[in-house]
Amino acid sequence: MFGIVVLFLAVSLLFYCLFGGADFGAGILEGFAGKRYRSKGRKLTYTAIGPIWEANHMWLILVVVILFMAFPKVYTVVSIHLHIPITIMLIGIVLRGCFFTFRHYDAVKDKSQRYYSWIFVLSSIISSLFLGIIAGAATLGRIDTSTTSFYEGFIYPWFNEFSFAVGIFACCIFSFLAAVYLIGETQEEELRKYLLNQALKANIVTVVAGGLVFLAAKINGFHLIDLLLSHLFSALCLLLATISLPILWIALRKRQVILPRILAGFQVLMILTAWLWLQYPAVINLQNGPDLTLFNTVAPQATIQVLGWALIVGSMLILPALYYLLRSFKFNTSAE
Amino acid sequence: MEDLLSARLQMAISLGFHIIFACIGMVMPFLMAFSHWKWLQTNKDEYLHLTKTWSKGVAIFFATGAVSGTVLSFELGLLWPGFMEHAGPIFGMPFSWEGTAFFIEAIALGLFLYGWNKINKWVHWATGVVVGISGVASGIFVVAANAWMNSPSGFDWVNGQAINIDPVAAMFNDAWFSQALHMTLAAFVSTSFAVAGIHAFLLLKHPGHSLHQRAMKIALTFGAITALLQPLSGDISAKDVAVRQPAKLAAMEALFKTSKPADLVIGGLPNVEQQRVDYAIHLPRFLSFLAHGDFNAEVKGLDSIPRDEWPPVVVVHVAFQIMVAAGMAMALIGLVFLFFAWKKKHLLFHKTFLTIVALATPLGFIAVEAGWTVTEVGRQPWILYGIMRTSDAVSPMSGLMYPMITFTILYLILAFLVTWLMARQIKVLHETYKPELQEA
Ligand code: HDD
Ligand code: HEM
Ligand code: HEM
């Protein structure tokens, strides 16, 4: 059962990055849209993510519940020491979800639309940025559970170049995901071209931001390259992610819809796998004492047992429903 | 401000905000499904209009409920890590099922809101019902988790560690049934009365408006039936509390001295220093009867509890009086409505009745907030009753006042915006939908 719980944790994290990430990215892209495409883009965002954002968002809840039930120490250490970035991310998530919905359901379409959009875009950026910062801080290993200083305990772990670089990388890759996803959602030639262009730009910045992560790691004295060389599987994953890029571009140019989506998802999968493999079995690297791993924080057997069954039975209920949802709204537009 | 107090306030504000959206998310789908079903049966335009109008409101409430719930699942750790470290593995099970229920709810809602004319009309109707059922299921699961904090079970507490964990026993603790039943009914009462109240108010402004009449009739029927059941369920809860948390019952009733028999104290303001209740009405022996079903039973007072384990008596007592008063008022309104409905008299044109229902709009939610205050403040100073103190669970981070203030402001803004958006919906509805013209 332990294996199943870990698998669900990893898959939920992946799905949140993929689906939730594409939602965040759509918000970010909207902020960079030129005047001409603003209203069209907005409509597209709406039809593309309106019916599914709430379901996408559930993956995050699943991650949290699995963490606090199965790996309580991980959950509490993160909650204590990353209190500030988590709070900021949450405020972003709240504003984003609310204003996205308010914008669409406001019965009077007047000037307030502008404010809704503005906050939607801003909070999409903030949520993605801080999600990345939290991941970066968990990896960097500056969390010190014994310190009594406010700065060392609650600021220093996340307020650094590396965590911010990961945050920026998250924003970029989410935008890329969103652009690739949105291309398949429209039949309009002009809009398609425009999105293709957005995807390309997002792709370039993502690669640059990836470089930035390595640079920032160096600045913060975190030996990322050495780590990669000693974890060849991770290095291989990153390599595969890079190799699949040209294929993705060719497929996009050939007006394919499904293949580019799969490839973009594959890239995220590879990057996430590379990261998790570098970390494994650690979840949180600590500055003082041994890291928090999947093994030294795991809850008692009885808990893992009931959680595992809940996840298995739950997913048997959820997956067919999710498939039906996607089929009803997604595949009919992209089938053309 | 003290960190512990800030944390408690932040938790209370977040939960108090979330519960309103949670109640609406649980009950509106049923009201909508009812109206939707009427439309499928009768093909009357008003029902379609009503369903769609309601569903637009629900989308706004649902989104706000979902994101505020997300905040909560993090807040448990952000504010109470000392508690979650031990509690997570024990009471996590209902949360994991709650997750499944939310997922299904979110999927079904997506299908319902966007499925008009896209999926089979009966499948579409069924998705609405599924939203409601999974909403209620998720509510029951979280309440079971909360009940465990009131009535810890499924583990042994040895030297500050939990051993022999049994999550199934923890979920089915002694309090889960009475709390889950009472909360589910509360959601129906509060949401139905709020909806009926708003439509009653609109009927006063637009007399005879058929859409509002149908809406009010549906909502008030749901509200009246559940409001009549609620005191019965409250009685089950009270008897339960008397056995498992005597300190909470004593605070609810402001009973300072163990008495046999015990009087029921109605209203009044407890004076903790002097250990008496000012301005109250006393009903001899009634508390013995309500708490134990016997007019001569002994009821434990606060004097049987160590002074440092008393909950805040004034808050708990006053909140309890507010809940019961609101509950009785709604039960009465419900009774009148059902009586006349049974006599086939139309109260929907009766101005006084409409005014009363309109005035009762917030009553249900007031009762819900008051009831949770009774449950949660009445548990103090324990976060895990009898086992862990709230002060031992709070986050070691200082300056908790700042997140508390930030979230308070955020929630105030959202509450304002949601209200404003509802007002705009109603305004537009009246501009675009004129029942007189439809009938002509
Ligand atoms: C519409 C809402 C509503 C109404 C009309 C009532 N209640 Fe209530 N009450 C709640 C909404 C509520 C609640 C918000 O749902 C609580 C908080 C925790 C819970 O399980 O239910 C609650 C808690 C609660 C508790 C504490 C349970 C515990 O701590 O485990 C008691 C003893 C009662 N109620 C008793 C009553 C009585 C005797 C009522 C008579 C009219 C009544 N309630 C009406
Ligand atoms: C008695 C208390 C509670 C009840 C009855 C309740 C019920 C609900 C319901 C019905 C929803 C669906 C959303 C909606 O309809 O607006 C919801 C959302 C949510 N609640 Fe609560 N809740 C309660 C307390 C909590 C607590 C304490 C937590 C976390 C620890 C929590 C976490 C969540 C989450 C994560 C969501 C979002 C689900 C989604 O995205 O659809 N809830 N809650
Ligand atoms: C949604 C309905 C709920 C409301 C309105 C509510 C209200 C409150 C209030 C007023 C407090 C502060 C009490 C005090 O410190 O004096 C509190 C504390 C707390 N509640 Fe609830 N509660 C609700 C449901 C829940 C649920 C379902 C859970 C968990 C499963 C929960 C967990 C907690 C925790 C952990 C605290 C902090 C510790 C404490 O003060 O004892 N609550 N809540």
Side-chain angles (χ1 to χ4, degrees):
Chain A
M1 272 305 167
F2 176 78
I4 291 189
V5 170
V6 173
L7 182 73
F8 269 95
L9 182 60
V11 169
S12 309
L13 192 64
L14 171 71
F15 282 6
Y16 188 61
C17 289
L18 281 180
F19 303 130
D23 292 353
F24 286 137
I28 302 175
L29 280 185
E30 212 188 284
F32 289 95
K35 264 217 169 72
R36 282 184 54 202
Y37 296 98
R38 212 165 274 161
S39 78
K40 267 192 194 155
R42 202 178 289 164
K43 246 190 220 128
L44 182 65
T45 311
Y46 195 76
T47 46
I49 67 179
I52 50 170
W53 77 266
E54 252 154 359
N56 291 347
H57 171 87
M58 286 306 302
W59 297 108
L60 178 64
I61 315 284
L62 210 54
V63 171
V64 171
V65 170
I66 296 178
L67 274 185
F68 77 55
M69 197 172 168
F71 307 102
K73 190 84 195 166
V74 171
Y75 173 76
T76 52
V77 167
V78 169
S79 304
I80 293 172
H81 294 278
L82 303 181
H83 190 121
I84 298 168
I86 292 178
T87 299
I88 299 175
M89 177 188 77
L90 286 175
I91 292 172
I93 289 179
V94 169
L95 288 176
R96 193 182 171 280
C98 288
F99 281 80
F100 179 67
T101 312
F102 291 173
R103 177 168 79 179
H104 182 72
Y105 281 100
D106 191 345
V108 186
K109 304 274 184 266
D110 57 12
K111 232 174 49 198
S112 46
Q113 292 284 325
R114 281 230 302 278
Y115 300 109
Y116 298 142
S117 299
W118 202 73
I119 294 182
F120 172 60
V121 169
L122 203 69
S123 52
S124 294
I125 297 176
I126 289 175
S127 316
S128 317
L129 180 68
F130 278 83
L131 190 67
I133 288 179
I134 293 163
T139 316
L140 186 58
R142 287 191 175 178
I143 294 177
D144 182 344
T145 52
S146 61
T147 179
T148 50
S149 129
F150 187 86
Y151 174 76
E152 279 176 26
F154 305 107
I155 310 266
Y156 179 69
W158 59 273
F159 195 76
N160 48 55
E161 289 83 353
F162 179 73
S163 302
F164 273 81
V166 177
I168 294 170
F169 181 73
C171 292
C172 299
I173 196 158
F174 289 167
S175 312
F176 173 62
L177 269 178
V180 171
Y181 170 65
L182 288 177
I183 290 173
E185 294 292 304
T186 177
Q187 320 303 338
E188 242 179 274
E189 197 45 40
E190 204 190 355
L191 200 56
R192 264 187 62 99
K193 275 217 184 90
Y194 163 74
L195 284 168
L196 210 61
N197 187 12
Q198 290 281 66
L200 184 63
K201 282 186 198 151
N203 196 188
I204 293 168
V205 262
T206 306
V207 174
V208 175
L212 214 61
V213 171
F214 282 90
L215 188 70
K218 196 147 177 63
I219 294 174
N220 290 158
F222 177 53
H223 305 289
L224 191 55
I225 303 202
D226 294 349
L227 211 57
L228 268 179
L229 290 178
S230 63
H231 290 73
L232 284 179
F233 179 68
S234 294
L236 183 74
C237 289
L238 289 188
L239 193 70
L240 283 176
T242 318
I243 292 179
S244 65
L245 264 181
I247 312 179
L248 189 149
W249 279 106
I250 295 169
L252 270 183
R253 294 243 175 266
K254 291 208 164 148
R255 317 199 45 125
Q256 294 205 357
V257 168
I258 302 291
L259 187 63
R261 281 186 187 180
I262 292 175
L263 285 176
F266 173 76
Q267 283 159 3
V268 175
L269 171 70
M270 284 298 111
I271 291 167
L272 211 61
T273 312
W275 174 54
L276 293 177
W277 186 249
L278 282 182
Q279 287 280 85
Y280 182 86
V283 189
I284 307 296
N285 300 328
L286 294 187
Q287 187 152 45
N288 64 317
D291 296 340
L292 299 181
T293 70
L294 292 174
F295 301 108
N296 66 16
T297 60
V298 67
Q301 184 61 28
T303 301
I304 299 299
Q305 206 70 24
V306 295
L307 177 59
W309 278 113
L311 292 170
I312 292 171
V313 176
S315 59
M316 290 201 293
L317 293 171
I318 291 165
L319 289 178
L322 199 58
Y323 175 75
Y324 185 68
L325 176 73
L326 292 176
R327 208 197 54 172
S328 302
F329 297 118
K330 292 291 134 233
F331 298 163
N332 55 2
T333 44
S334 51
E336 224 206 36
Chain B
M1 194 188 282
E2 200 197 334
D3 286 327
L4 175 62
L5 186 61
S6 304
R8 287 169 60 189
L9 271 177
Q10 182 175 335
M11 199 69 199
I13 289 163
S14 310
L15 283 158
F17 183 79
H18 178 68
I19 192 67
I20 293 177
F21 297 89
C23 286
I24 292 169
M26 284 189 271
V27 177
M28 278 315 286
F30 288 108
L31 299 187
M32 270 162 20
F34 190 82
S35 152
H36 192 171
W37 180 72
K38 282 282 217 183
W39 174 65
L40 291 171
Q41 292 289 321
T42 63
N43 240 333
K44 277 197 185 128
D45 249 10
E46 285 126 11
Y47 286 117
L48 178 63
H49 242 15
L50 183 58
T51 312
K52 287 202 169 173
T53 310
W54 273 347
S55 76
K56 279 184 194 146
V58 165
I60 294 176
F61 279 102
F62 197 90
T64 316
V67 290
S68 62
T70 310
V71 172
L72 279 173
S73 54
F74 280 93
E75 263 174 355
L76 286 175
L78 291 175
L79 301 174
W80 315 104
F83 166 65
M84 285 308 282
E85 190 180 338
H86 299 287
I90 313 173
F91 84 155
M93 189 170 105
F95 284 106
S96 64
W97 286 107
E98 187 207 14
T100 302
F102 282 152
F103 229 125
I104 294 175
E105 190 182 7
I107 292 171
L109 186 80
L111 282 166
F112 180 75
L113 290 179
Y114 298 85
W116 294 99
N117 309 328
K118 281 196 182 152
I119 51 184
N120 172 292
K121 65 177 186 183
W122 283 103
V123 174
H124 183 222
W125 177 79
T127 59
V129 179
V130 172
V131 178
I133 292 174
S134 43
V136 168
S138 62
I140 291 175
F141 288 127
V142 227
V143 171
N146 177 266
W148 176 80
M149 295 164 60
N150 282 320
S151 155
S153 55
F155 65 101
D156 295 315
W157 190 248
V158 181
N159 297 328
Q161 292 294 333
I163 57 170
N164 299 330
I165 290 177
D166 179 353
V168 181
M171 177 165 161
F172 297 105
N173 56 70
D174 291 340
W176 88 271
F177 178 74
S178 63
Q179 273 197 243
L181 176 68
H182 198 55
M183 178 68 234
T184 308
L185 286 173
F188 273 92
V189 175
S190 52
T191 308
S192 309
F193 266 85
V195 172
I198 291 170
H199 288 287
F201 174 74
L202 293 169
L203 272 179
L204 285 170
K205 280 176 68 179
H206 309 265
H209 194 293
S210 59
L211 185 133
H212 294 312
Q213 281 183 338
R214 300 206 194 276
M216 183 176 152
K217 210 163 145 194
I218 295 175
L220 206 52
T221 308
F222 273 86
I225 295 170
T226 45
L228 286 171
L229 294 174
Q230 188 68 328
L232 301 178
S233 144
D235 183 49
I236 298 176
S237 293
K239 289 195 164 54
D240 213 36
V241 172
V243 177
R244 85 184 128 77
Q245 287 175 303
K248 184 190 278 181
L249 188 86
M252 274 156 53
E253 307 290 357
L255 184 67
F256 289 100
K257 294 196 182 51
T258 303
S259 314
K260 182 185 176 184
D263 297 355
L264 182 67
V265 176
I266 297 177
L269 197 64
N271 182 332
V272 181
E273 293 296 304
Q274 311 266 326
Q275 309 224 341
R276 56 156 208 260
V277 187
D278 301 327
Y279 323 114
I281 305 168
H282 289 256
L283 286 186
R285 291 170 182 250
F286 260 80
L287 182 55
S288 294
F289 178 70
L290 285 178
H292 298 290
D294 169 1
F295 280 105
N296 290 312
E298 181 184 88
V299 181
K300 281 207 182 117
L302 286 161
D303 56 354
S304 65
I305 317 273
R307 186 63 185 85
D308 72 329
E309 291 179 14
W310 287 18
V313 179
V314 181
V315 177
V316 179
H317 178 73
V318 171
F320 186 64
Q321 308 304 309
I322 292 175
M323 167 174 64
V324 175
M328 290 305 173
M330 287 183 293
L332 202 66
I333 296 174
L335 198 64
V336 170
F337 174 75
L338 289 182
F339 178 75
F340 282 97
W342 176 62
K343 290 269 177 194
K344 301 236 179 294
K345 286 229 176 85
H346 284 298
L347 280 183
L348 300 174
F349 290 102
H350 199 289
K351 264 227 161 92
T352 320
F353 186 72
L354 291 180
T355 314
I356 291 174
V357 176
L359 286 175
T361 306
L363 270 190
F365 283 107
I366 290 173
V368 166
E369 301 287 355
W372 277 105
T373 308
V374 173
T375 303
E376 304 287 283
V377 179
R379 189 183 60 235
Q380 303 305 318
W382 305 102
I383 188 168
L384 190 52
Y385 187 68
I387 292 185
M388 184 189 283
R389 281 175 187 261
T390 312
S391 53
D392 295 331
V394 70
S395 168
M397 192 173 96
S398 55
L400 288 177
M401 188 174 93
Y402 298 100
M404 188 273 287
I405 292 175
T406 314
F407 274 108
T408 308
I409 295 173
L410 179 67
Y411 285 150
L412 282 177
I413 294 174
L414 290 182
F416 169 78
L417 276 176
V418 169
T419 318
W420 181 70
L421 285 168
M422 287 301 131
R424 304 227 305 182
Q425 294 277 0
I426 292 170
K427 203 171 133 227
V428 170
L429 171 78
H430 284 148
E431 281 162 10
T432 55
Y433 181 74
K434 302 246 178 349
E436 298 79 16
L437 296 180
Q438 298 268 328
E439 270 154 28

